[in-house]
Amino acid sequence: MEPEAPDSRKRPLETPPEVVCTKRSNTGEEGEYFLKVLIPSYAAGSIIGKGGQTIVQLQKETGATIKLSKSKDFYPGTTERVCLVQGTAEALNAVHSFIAEKVREIPQAMTKPEVVNILQPQTTMNPDRAKQAKLIVPNSTAGLIIGKGGATVKAVMEQSGAWVQLSQKPEGINLQERVVTVSGEPEQVHKAVSAIVQKVQEDPQSSSCLNISYANVAGPVANSNPTGSPYASPADVLPVLHQMAPSHMLTQTLGAVVLVSHVTISTGGPLVAAAAAAGAAGGFLTAEKLAAESAKELVEIAVPENLVGAILGKGGKTLVEYQELTGARIQISKKGEFLPGTRNRRVTITGSPAATQAAQYLISQRVTYEQGVRASNPQKVG
């Protein structure tokens, strides 16, 4: 018996739709919705299959329509392709489960642990990516996911056990979309994504951004890295320092983490002297450059005793990961050593300005998440 000819209506399209972002409501058939998923380049081949057979079969089995950006048409600042799925809520969940399964299958050549700098564009393999789902949703859907005062996203995290982060939405910049990053074990990620699909169903504007190519998108787009800046440039990758969350955003998200001191130190010794001499001789650009390279920051923050465990992680693993990711050195005062008059431990962060800022942001994100989990489940300890 000859294999059934692929249904042309379900054929994966490589041509991006003309629509970028509009105010129109859902444009699919009644009961159908849209979901955009980021797919790492290493997983795209196994999702598409030889001659597109796998993706065609997936569409037949789920009833969904799946479109992929072209092979080199990546989401800004990444090496990930954009996948647009159209179908019922059940179809969206089924397709995403299949995609997540393929994303978890890291090729053997890429399994070596690799230190990935979160300040750089995602052009290298981050081992944690296999445990993440990355979804692109319009601002309106993002608002429903977050909920009033963050109540909804906290409930999603508590009920699923996954860690859910949204790319930042800065003041004064009208971003049309935000990226939702879901991290955890397969079942946890599945539960959280199902909850997000529920919010897609509730949002009448959920289909307002149906583009799969960002090559010709004018203006900023949401950063795929939740610990990065609120936006990435579609034309070219922003400079390293602009990949970080702005300082005013840090102060808003620190929550229980309190800044104790912030000092700029120089570690260059002779280098600084050479810079000063160059400055005196009129080589101001050289002097500034040398001085900048030798400058480091020492930042001290206070973290409540009962939340230190969240930063340390099991066997100190989380703390080690944060140091590898940011390049900063992070030290926590010994147990019982508190800041005077408090039950707060002193956390000292040393490194370049960008590294210390990244470390502060990661710590604040972790503490905020832990607070949310405990608020939803007062019996949780640790």
Side-chain angles (χ1 to χ4, degrees):
M1 181 176 175
E2 291 185 7
E4 185 182 357
D7 180 354
S8 60
R9 188 178 70 83
K10 301 298 184 185
R11 188 177 60 206
L13 301 181
E14 293 271 343
T15 305
E18 293 180 4
V19 176
V20 176
C21 287
T22 69
K23 286 293 184 182
R24 67 183 179 179
S25 59
N26 198 302
T27 56
E29 296 176 17
E30 191 174 347
E32 291 199 336
Y33 306 92
F34 294 90
L35 186 68
K36 281 160 82 167
V37 184
L38 287 181
I39 297 177
S41 53
Y42 71 80
S46 58
I47 291 170
I48 296 168
K50 190 175 181 180
Q53 290 179 354
T54 304
I55 203 167
V56 167
Q57 185 62 32
L58 179 62
Q59 291 179 107
K60 284 184 181 179
E61 291 176 0
T62 62
T65 302
I66 305 171
K67 299 175 184 178
L68 268 173
S69 62
K70 294 179 181 179
S71 60
K72 298 297 182 182
D73 191 351
F74 298 134
Y75 187 81
T78 76
T79 54
E80 306 208 6
R81 291 167 72 174
V82 180
C83 176
L84 177 67
V85 187
Q86 177 186 347
T88 63
E90 292 76 15
L92 299 188
N93 283 319
V95 171
H96 188 272
S97 293
F98 178 84
I99 290 173
E101 186 181 321
K102 296 304 180 185
V103 169
R104 285 192 293 272
E105 296 172 0
I106 304 177
Q108 198 65 34
M110 304 179 79
T111 54
K112 278 189 175 182
E114 183 178 346
V115 176
V116 178
N117 189 344
I118 63 167
L119 307 183
Q120 296 287 359
Q122 296 172 13
T123 54
T124 48
M125 174 58 195
N126 183 341
D128 292 335
R129 181 63 180 94
K131 288 190 172 185
Q132 294 175 337
K134 288 184 179 287
L135 313 173
I136 308 173
V137 298
N139 288 342
S140 53
T141 307
L144 292 176
I145 294 169
I146 295 168
K148 190 174 182 180
T152 303
V153 72
K154 285 179 182 177
V156 169
M157 288 192 286
E158 168 59 21
Q159 291 162 16
S160 67
W163 191 4
V164 181
Q165 294 173 288
L166 284 88
S167 59
Q168 297 295 324
K169 182 180 179 183
E171 298 174 11
I173 297 177
N174 182 26
L175 290 183
Q176 300 297 315
E177 298 175 314
R178 295 171 77 172
V179 177
V180 186
T181 301
V182 183
S183 309
E185 297 305 317
E187 187 58 31
Q188 295 173 327
V189 171
H190 176 73
K191 286 180 180 177
V193 170
S194 295
I196 290 168
V197 169
Q198 176 65 39
K199 295 306 168 187
V200 169
Q201 289 178 266
E202 295 173 14
D203 181 16
Q205 303 295 329
S206 64
S207 64
S208 59
C209 296
L210 300 183
N211 59 300
I212 55 174
S213 174
Y214 288 77
N216 299 316
V217 176
V221 296
N223 196 328
S224 68
N225 187 349
T227 57
S229 85
Y231 51 88
S233 167
D236 52 8
V237 178
L238 295 174
V240 170
L241 291 178
H242 290 179
Q243 294 286 332
M244 283 311 305
S247 300
H248 73 272
M249 199 173 294
L250 270 175
T251 60
Q252 292 172 6
T253 57
L254 285 177
V257 181
V258 180
L259 183 66
V260 178
S261 66
H262 187 160
V263 181
T264 300
I265 55 177
S266 293
T267 57
L271 182 61
V272 177
F284 295 110
L285 287 176
T286 305
E288 288 174 7
K289 185 177 179 182
L290 287 169
E293 288 176 353
S294 66
K296 282 196 174 184
E297 285 186 343
L298 187 150
V299 178
E300 291 185 339
I301 55 179
V303 177
E305 165 71 12
N306 65 337
L307 292 170
V308 166
I311 302 169
L312 281 169
K314 192 173 182 179
K317 185 181 177 184
T318 302
L319 187 67
V320 170
E321 286 178 352
Y322 285 0
Q323 291 185 104
E324 289 180 344
L325 282 168
T326 63
R329 185 182 182 193
I330 307 171
Q331 295 174 293
I332 301 175
S333 62
K334 292 178 183 177
K335 198 166 186 178
E337 290 185 8
F338 303 122
L339 287 163
T342 73
R343 293 279 298 173
N344 296 332
R345 302 264 287 274
R346 185 193 304 270
V347 179
T348 305
I349 306 168
T350 313
S352 69
T356 58
Q357 195 172 6
Q360 284 181 80
Y361 193 75
L362 284 176
I363 290 171
S364 69
Q365 285 273 335
R366 183 63 193 167
V367 168
T368 301
Y369 163 70
E370 187 66 22
Q371 283 180 308
V373 169
R374 294 183 187 188
S376 304
N377 184 5
Q379 294 182 335
K380 180 176 171 63
V381 293

